[in-house]
Amino acid sequence: MTSIASQAVGIIGGTGLTTLSGLDITGTRAVATPWGAPSSELTEGHLDGQPVVFLSRHGNPHKIPPHEVNYKANIKALYDAGVRTVIGVNAVGGIHPDMTPACVVIPDQIIDYTWGRAGTFFEGEIDAVTHIDFTWPYDNATRDIVMQAARDQDVLHAGFGVYGATQGPRLETAAEIRRMERDGCDLVGMTGMPEAALAAELGMRYVCLGLVVNWAAGKSDHIITMDEIRAAIEQGMTGVRHILEASMAGLGALRALPQPS
Ligand code: HPA
């Protein structure tokens, strides 16, 4: 398979980001992997002069629910296209008081509450049992670049946080959120895992941009509505796009460094 350039930046768009405006598109390709087709075609192009491969996590149009996303195919398709740094954009609920709707969170940790998802490349016909180190699930060098971009663009953001990954597709109960808060979770979403772990298994740098689209269940005086979520996406996605664009030069320089082992 030919790729636009080796070590392009992969952007996985979540809810509210099925296409990437500003991307100077050079081509769109339907690809296959040993685990089936990814959620969408790969859109290749340049963002601020840097090679980028964009993939829509829920398909385009948005129709694949979080627990049915083929995360293995998505990560492998990006890897095969030459991607070695992935930015996953995720809609999330805010638990920590700083994580208000429209805030962009760049978390530093994950707790995985998902179940039954195909979450590893190291199974089936393998040469040896492999356990990757996952102490720090997000790549710090990439987080630094993205956080600097958020500061430079004056985007409301939080540069810390534990991402609690839930199964969905329903939202949580108030008691589940209270439990997650006791566990140390600051934000909650349905798509952060196993995506981050699969990227790590292939030795890719991975970072999450979590756009807060609602207060988590029980954290406000009203129930969560799709209207509220849509409004927060509209308000916050511009900030996400600014961060992505402003990160590109820094990520280009990072490509010259060796990949994390
Ligand atoms: N919970 C889980 N996933 C989410 C939420 C939430 O409140 N908001 C957006 N994605």
Side-chain angles (χ1 to χ4, degrees), residues 1 4 11 22 51 73 78 85 99 104 111 118 129 147 150 152 162 196 202 215 223 253 261:
M1 184 192 315
I4 162 172
I11 298 175
L78 290 176
T85 301
M99 296 179 188
V104 180
I111 298 178
V129 174
M147 289 188 293
D152 291 348
V162 178
L202 296 189
W215 284 113
I223 61 162
S261 56

Side-chain angles (χ1 to χ4, degrees), residues 14 19 27 39 83-84 114 136 158 176 189 199 229:
T19 59
S39 300
V83 167
R84 295 296 179 269
T114 66
W136 302 104
E176 285 170 335
I229 290 178

